[in-house]
Amino acid sequence: MPPSSGAAASLPEEVIAGPHWMRFEAPDLICVRAHGNVTLAEMRDALAYQRAVGERQGRVFLLADMSALGTIDPRARQDVGIIRSIPYRGIAVHGASFQAKIVIKMLMVALRVFAPGADPHLHFFSTEAEARRWIAERRAALDREASGRS
């Protein structure tokens, strides 16, 4: 998808939010590595960046390394309204603990409540390679669908 013009076009390739980082990979992938606990401010910074990339690129795939995730501030888990404005087309999580998987699934349930019809296609994987492979397959399927081929 071609990037749009405007302020969003000047987004940084990499963003640090506390001990966590995000990196944009063309054409539409955001790689996230969570390290330790996630505060409300960090969650808001991360989601604002993801939304800005989504506005610029038209869609977002998220590749999230949650192997070093601590806890997510309960206020951050409740403050999910911004998520509905992010055009996720696939979220691939790898390295998540059982507890992290539960919290992430709860966030997706909240997304569906606040944005009926939203389906970010969340999947969990053991490795980054498996997650990247799934994103590539999902992107190709969406591109074929958009061009009228099946």
Side-chain angles (χ1 to χ4, degrees), residues 1 8 16 35-36 71-72 75 77 84 90 97 100 106 109-110 122 131 133-134 137 146:
M1 303 202 139
I16 306 295
H35 188 73
T71 61
I72 299 176
R75 294 172 300 160
R77 294 193 311 247
R84 69 176 169 239
S97 68
M106 287 173 35
V109 168
L122 170 68
R133 190 169 30 258
W134 177 81
E137 291 168 0

Side-chain angles (χ1 to χ4, degrees), residues 13-56:
E13 293 292 313
E14 188 169 288
V15 171
I16 306 295
H20 322 288
W21 66 260
M22 292 170 289
R23 183 183 70 243
F24 173 74
E25 292 182 12
D28 49 22
L29 178 65
I30 300 173
C31 300
V32 175
R33 179 169 296 142
H35 188 73
N37 299 335
V38 179
T39 67
L40 175 60
E42 292 162 354
M43 179 69 86
R44 286 181 174 166
D45 289 347
L47 294 175
Y49 179 72
Q50 292 169 30
R51 181 175 63 186
V53 170
E55 289 172 355
R56 180 179 75 179

Side-chain angles (χ1 to χ4, degrees), residues 83-118:
I83 292 176
R84 69 176 169 239
S85 66
I86 303 170
Y88 293 118
R89 296 300 178 261
I91 298 175
V93 177
H94 64 94
S97 68
F98 178 75
Q99 293 84 356
K101 288 178 182 178
I102 290 172
V103 170
I104 293 165
K105 286 179 182 180
M106 287 173 35
L107 288 171
M108 293 302 104
V109 168
L111 172 62
R112 288 184 184 104
V113 168
F114 290 113

